[in-house]
């Protein structure tokens, strides 16, 4: 197949959206598909023009206010329409669309190219966290406009499925996320790493993710004095300095990737995630694959991932007393924590990216066979056009 992936964010920025795209690119390369990625430009000069066989077309962009490493693509619908018309894809994959993705949705609609939109970021929910709650309704209108144009919308969790269907979005299906159980594995637990962050032998309570307002990492302050433990906050972002000041006893290793991340996650005793706006939460799945039980907020993606009283605990959003109580429950009972850890590890086996990649391709193929519901008549595009040089 010939696929255009329009990425709201991409390398060098690493987040859940980028991670999913990279796994998809690996799968499509193994299949021998032709892929073009359209993404915002970056100021980093050491970025590849090709990733897993896919050509990367960068659009001019500017940094997002208050979050400099997040870039927002400039230009209008016409620019994206021209790129898509020249490339002539069989399908357009909209990765967490909002700004660039909205232009791509309109461009594909006008060209009659089927689209698969991946709902992965609850942007409207971020509005109140960033102090602009009056923008929430506008943001939901944008989300609805995008997904009403899409041939098919894929969501990663039951919560997200019900959320979009409740807003009248049709043609919504589930597409979860895979996890690399070879990379994230209990065997990666490292006594040396544990000693480096907790020389007193404390048990480790850890968080992995962006240090940004929507992640609500500041809620972990209620765990700072749990007896016999050390809080480890892995990641980077605009709130790092403020969090370091607010949590002086916590360890901040910064951003970790690859084997370093796998070793750190497996070395935790408990994983915590306080964010209320996760449509999935890949880091929870990676912790579980590493044999680490989870305490997370009972909203969004964690509802599907964490089974109460078996693989971890969920607490009511905003109930920080409940968060602390759940953590104390597991940190105070080694046998119980080990049982939860074993169940967590077992629960994610078989969730490979190859299986999820095959499901995604099936969705691609399905929308190319379906009538153009709600879209303009098909425009003739050259199916055999050679891959252009951009």
């Amino acid at each position: 197949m010939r696929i255009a992936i329009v990425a709201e964010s991409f390398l060098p920025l690493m987040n859940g959206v980028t991670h999913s795209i990279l796994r998809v690119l690996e799968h499509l390369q193994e299949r021998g598909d032709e892929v073009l990625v359209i993404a915002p430009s970056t100021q980093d000069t050491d970025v590849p023009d090709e990733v897993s066989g896919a050509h990367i077309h960068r659009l001019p962009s500017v940094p997002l206010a208050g979050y400099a490493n997040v870039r927002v693509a400039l230009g209008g619908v016409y620019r994206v329409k021209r790129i898509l018309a020249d490339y002539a894809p069989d399908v357009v994959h909209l990765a967490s669309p909002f700004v660039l993705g909205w232009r791509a949705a309109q461009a594909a609609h006008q060209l009659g190219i089927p689209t698969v939109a991946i709902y992965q970021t609850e942007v409207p929910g971020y509005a109140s966290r960033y102090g602009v709650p009056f923008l929430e309704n506008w943001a939901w209108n944008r989300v609805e406009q995008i997904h009403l144009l899409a041939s098919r919308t894929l969501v990663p969790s039951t919560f997200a499925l019900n959320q979009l269907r409740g807003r009248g979005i049709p043609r919504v299906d589930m597409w979860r996320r895979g996890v690399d159980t070879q990379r994230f594995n209990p065997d990666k637990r490292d006594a040396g790493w544990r000693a480096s962050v907790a020389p007193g032998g404390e048990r480790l309570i850890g968080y992995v993710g962006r240090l940004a307002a929507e992640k609500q990492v500041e809620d972990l302050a209620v765990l700072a004095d749990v007896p016999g433990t050390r809080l480890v906050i892995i990641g980077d972002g605009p709130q790092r300095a403020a969090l370091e000041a607010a949590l002086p006893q916590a360890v901040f290793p910064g951003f970790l990737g690859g084997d370093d991340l796998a070793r750190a996650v497996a070395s935790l005793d408990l994983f915590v995630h306080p964010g209320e706006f996760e449509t999935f939460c890949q880091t929870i799945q990676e912790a579980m694959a590493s044999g680490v039980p989870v305490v997370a907020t009972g909203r969004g993606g964690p509802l599907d991932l964490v089974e109460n009283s078996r693989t971890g605990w969920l607490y009511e959003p905003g109930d920080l007393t409940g968060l602390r109580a759940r953590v104390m429950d597991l940190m105070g009972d080694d046998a119980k924590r080990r049982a939860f850890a074993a169940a967590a590890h077992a629960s994610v086996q078989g969730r490979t990216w190859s299986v999820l990649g095959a499901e995604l391709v099936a969705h691609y193929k399905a929308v190319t066979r379906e009538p153009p519901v709600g879209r303009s008549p098909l425009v003739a595009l050259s199916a055999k056009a050679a891959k252009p040089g951009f």
Side-chain angles (χ1 to χ4, degrees):
M1 296 186 74
R2 197 171 174 85
I3 302 145
I5 297 178
V6 181
E8 206 70 45
S9 62
F10 194 58
L11 295 173
L13 179 65
M14 275 303 301
N15 54 28
V17 175
T18 302
H19 178 266
S20 294
I21 294 171
L22 293 176
R23 302 291 80 78
V24 168
L25 292 179
E26 290 169 359
H27 184 78
L28 297 178
Q29 183 181 40
E30 290 176 2
R31 280 175 37 86
D33 296 306
E34 294 183 72
V35 185
L36 171 70
V37 175
I38 303 170
S41 64
T42 173
Q43 291 185 317
D44 193 327
T45 57
D46 188 26
V47 292
D49 294 328
E50 189 172 290
V51 176
S52 295
H55 182 79
I56 314 302
H57 185 143
R58 299 281 184 174
L59 293 176
S61 68
V62 294
L64 181 66
Y67 208 155
N69 62 340
V70 175
R71 311 284 299 186
V72 179
L74 300 174
V77 174
Y78 177 74
R79 184 195 294 263
V80 181
K81 184 178 177 180
R82 186 179 60 192
I83 297 169
L84 293 178
D86 287 345
Y87 187 68
D90 298 306
V91 64
V92 175
H93 172 134
L94 305 173
S96 196
F98 193 73
V99 179
L100 176 57
W102 169 228
R103 297 176 200 143
Q106 295 175 85
H109 172 89
Q110 294 170 18
L111 291 167
I113 306 171
T115 54
V116 172
I118 312 299
Y119 178 67
Q120 190 166 340
T121 307
E122 191 184 331
V123 175
Y126 290 8
S128 60
R129 296 296 306 169
Y130 280 90
V132 285
F134 54 89
L135 291 179
E136 185 171 355
N137 286 338
W138 171 83
W140 271 120
N141 287 336
R142 170 59 56 83
V143 170
E144 291 167 5
Q145 289 168 342
I146 291 169
H147 294 283
L148 286 169
L149 277 185
S151 308
R152 183 169 299 188
T153 291
L154 301 181
V155 297
S157 64
T158 304
F159 180 89
L161 184 76
N162 293 334
Q163 187 179 49
L164 291 194
R165 286 181 175 173
R167 303 193 73 89
I169 305 300
R171 305 180 297 278
V172 183
D173 286 294
M174 190 83 79
W175 180 60
R176 300 189 187 275
R177 299 293 179 271
V179 62
D180 186 344
T181 54
Q182 296 301 311
R183 177 182 169 202
F184 292 97
N185 190 289
D187 292 342
K188 299 293 180 67
R189 190 174 178 89
D190 187 323
W193 190 88
R194 287 173 59 84
S196 71
V197 297
E202 298 92 344
R203 293 188 296 275
L204 303 181
I205 303 170
Y207 162 87
V208 177
R210 290 196 311 280
L211 305 186
E214 69 274 12
K215 300 298 184 179
Q216 299 170 244
V217 184
E218 67 276 8
D219 289 354
L220 301 183
V222 300
L223 307 178
D225 62 347
V226 173
T229 69
R230 175 63 60 87
L231 193 58
V232 182
I233 298 175
I234 301 168
D236 209 344
Q239 282 200 322
R240 179 170 177 176
L243 289 167
E244 287 178 331
L247 297 167
Q249 303 305 315
V251 178
F252 288 79
F255 175 83
L256 298 178
D259 289 339
D260 290 336
L261 177 60
R263 179 169 59 252
V265 173
S267 298
L268 300 175
D269 296 294
L270 181 67
F271 184 86
V272 290
H273 200 293
E276 297 174 18
F277 302 104
E278 299 296 318
T279 59
F280 186 72
C281 200
Q282 180 69 8
T283 55
I284 285 180
Q285 192 165 238
E286 291 168 352
M288 296 170 80
S290 302
V292 180
V294 175
V295 174
T297 186
R299 183 185 186 277
L303 291 168
D304 285 355
L305 295 173
V306 180
E307 185 178 346
N308 256 329
S309 194
R310 182 171 176 270
T311 63
W313 289 113
L314 297 171
Y315 65 94
E316 289 292 326
D319 180 12
L320 301 188
T321 300
L323 163 60
R324 182 181 171 90
R326 295 308 195 189
V327 168
M328 292 286 288
D329 173 71
L330 288 175
M331 299 310 288
D333 189 332
D334 291 344
K336 186 175 189 177
R337 192 175 65 253
R338 284 194 295 269
F340 276 40
H345 178 256
S347 72
V348 298
Q349 301 308 302
R351 297 181 188 176
T352 65
W353 273 107
S354 61
V355 170
L356 273 296
E359 287 182 10
L360 180 62
V361 171
H363 287 296
Y364 288 164
K365 292 180 177 179
V367 296
T368 64
R369 296 191 297 263
E370 293 170 355
V373 178
R375 294 186 282 118
S376 55
L378 291 174
V379 175
L381 295 170
S382 173
K384 62 179 183 296
K387 185 176 182 179
F390 292 98

